[in-house]
Amino acid sequence: MQTVAPDTGPTCRFDTLGRMTSLGTAFHPKRNSLNALRLLFATAVIVAHSWPLSGRTDEPIGPGAFNSLGPWAVAGFFVISGYLIASSRDHSELGRFLWRRILRIYPAFIVVLAVTAFVFAPLSTLVMGEYSLGAGLEYLVKNAGLYIFTFDVTGTLAHAPYPATWNGSLWTLFYEALCYLAIGLAMTFVPRRWLARFLAVTLASGMAVTASHVYLDVLNISVLLHTVRLGTYFVAGALLYVLRERVAFRWEFAAASAAAVILTAVSGTFDFLAPIPLAYLCMWLGIALPLHRIGAKNDISYGMYIYAFPVQQLLAITIGRGLPLWLYMLASIAATVPLAWASWTLVERPAMKLRGRTTQRTRTMPRTLEKTGRG
């Protein structure tokens, strides 16, 4: 039997019998840097949005180069989520699992909709546009189901550098929720011995469909395209979780994964070739980086992600055009932090206290962790 000293921490490379440590063994649910990575990804989204929201097109590398940071960061969110959410389902029954997932994303989501509709939008009319309570209510009600049907609060932002969009980040949460439901059902109805193969086939299919769209433009329905593309990243993370005891925790694999991610980004094949190396790289960094204290008690990454866009819009129509781009970025980050902190302390953390104790898992799986990182 493999034995692992619990106090060796996530940097342990070999067990007491001299065998290579697996990714699953190396990962510590309470001592990892995944929250730091998610905060980094949320910041990258702010950087990516700074060009279009401030009305600038002078990207130093080339058109769209820095804007690609947004999709890459979202991909990182989804592979990490795939690993952790699969772990969460592994440790709780389906009903409890779904309840925990709802509490984690929906309360903060509905609050940011309300804050946008009844605070951000009225404030913007001090500079431009007109606001009506009916328009705010319409924005809230239409989007309350997680799917974003309207990005605009009618009458506001018409003359902004990036008009008619109050929160261009929230659309991904609908697909995140679909992934939660899909993995919950898959780990309920697919026999354990077939789960890795099922996820591998699903991953390969998603990569093939995405590649077909990139080269042949075969998938023109945006909902399906986003489901397949983002779902592929999520499945890559989930598959890595299922195979975690068979995958070695090695820096050589991480270096190769980093090279593969960079190569796919440069060659334009990121969407369909990066999911697997990106998943490994993110989990390796989450284990190896000494940043476990960041977000360990107060995780503001979700709040940074959902509040940054409206904050940047308000800055763009007030002082954004007069600021150097780097200062606009810093101002956007600084102004978002208090809102993200408020979201965590007043909404997210209280909502998570309603989860109750996780029941004993009902599936028989190989050696698993006691708790999952974020769930």
Side-chain angles (χ1 to χ4, degrees):
M1 178 181 293
Q2 188 177 19
T3 58
V4 180
D7 59 350
T8 55
T11 58
C12 176
R13 291 290 303 280
F14 296 91
D15 66 13
T16 57
L17 299 181
R19 294 177 294 198
M20 183 66 70
T21 300
S22 69
L23 192 70
T25 299
F27 181 76
H28 193 294
K30 292 295 184 180
R31 190 181 175 86
N32 63 76
S33 299
L34 294 182
N35 285 337
L37 285 181
R38 284 192 291 238
L39 188 58
L40 176 64
F41 293 148
T43 304
V45 171
I46 296 175
V47 172
H49 287 164
S50 294
W51 271 271
L53 294 187
S54 63
R56 292 173 172 88
T57 58
D58 54 338
E59 298 188 28
I61 299 178
F66 276 84
N67 197 42
S68 297
L69 281 175
W72 296 338
V74 169
F77 276 125
F78 270 77
V79 295
I80 290 175
S81 182
Y83 189 100
L84 295 180
I85 299 307
S87 177
S88 178
R89 174 63 187 97
D90 189 12
H91 293 85
S92 58
E93 57 167 343
L94 180 61
R96 183 60 61 89
F97 163 79
L98 293 175
W99 175 238
R100 289 165 65 93
R101 304 276 55 83
I102 290 171
L103 291 175
R104 186 63 189 94
I105 67 171
Y106 191 75
F109 168 81
I110 203 71
V111 169
V112 76
L113 286 182
V115 171
T116 301
F118 306 123
V119 179
F120 289 144
L123 283 176
S124 72
T125 60
L126 298 176
V127 179
M128 63 174 61
E130 297 180 354
Y131 173 79
S132 69
L133 181 60
L137 287 171
E138 180 183 19
Y139 176 84
L140 176 63
V141 172
K142 280 189 174 181
N143 298 326
L146 273 182
Y147 187 83
I148 305 301
F149 284 97
T150 179
F151 289 87
D152 188 23
V153 177
T154 305
T156 63
L157 294 182
H159 303 290
Y162 194 88
T165 301
W166 266 109
N167 203 326
S169 299
L170 294 184
W171 68 272
T172 63
L173 299 182
F174 173 77
Y175 300 96
E176 178 89 0
L178 285 183
C179 290
Y180 293 169
L181 179 61
I183 196 64
L185 294 176
M187 295 180 72
T188 299
F189 296 108
V190 177
R192 177 67 183 92
R193 64 183 181 276
W194 295 106
L195 185 58
R197 297 177 188 177
F198 173 81
L199 292 176
V201 170
T202 303
L203 176 62
S205 301
M207 293 167 64
V209 171
T210 305
S212 298
H213 174 75
V214 170
Y215 292 114
L216 303 176
D217 196 25
V218 299
L219 197 58
N220 293 314
I221 302 175
S222 61
V223 174
L224 294 179
L225 174 61
H226 294 320
T227 299
V228 172
R229 185 172 64 87
L230 297 178
T232 300
Y233 296 121
F234 187 92
V235 171
L239 179 61
L240 189 61
Y241 170 77
V242 174
L243 298 177
R244 65 199 180 283
E245 300 301 343
R246 304 179 188 179
V247 178
F249 174 66
R250 300 185 61 170
W251 72 265
E252 297 94 333
F253 291 173
S257 296
V261 168
I262 294 172
L263 182 61
T264 60
V266 172
S267 64
T269 58
F270 184 90
D271 273 349
F272 56 91
L273 292 183
I276 296 175
L278 181 64
Y280 186 90
L281 178 62
C282 285
M283 294 308 301
W284 187 90
L285 290 172
I287 296 168
L289 292 176
L291 304 174
H292 58 274
R293 289 185 175 86
I294 297 178
K297 293 184 178 180
N298 299 293
D299 180 11
I300 65 170
S301 59
Y302 182 43
M304 291 291 290
Y305 182 74
I306 63 177
Y307 277 95
F309 203 105
V311 166
Q312 288 187 281
Q313 283 288 43
L314 283 181
L315 289 175
I317 65 175
T318 53
I319 62 174
R321 292 182 180 181
L323 293 178
L325 184 61
W326 65 269
L327 189 54
Y328 173 73
M329 292 178 183
L330 290 179
S332 298
I333 294 169
T336 304
V337 168
L339 293 169
W341 184 270
S343 178
W344 169 254
T345 57
L346 301 179
V347 182
E348 298 168 52
R349 186 165 58 188
M352 292 170 66
K353 291 180 180 180
L354 301 176
R355 297 177 303 176
R357 292 189 61 185
T358 303
T359 58
Q360 183 71 23
R361 59 189 172 92
T362 56
R363 294 173 55 83
T364 301
M365 289 195 171
R367 187 182 61 79
T368 54
L369 300 168
E370 289 292 330
K371 295 180 181 179
T372 184
R374 183 172 186 172

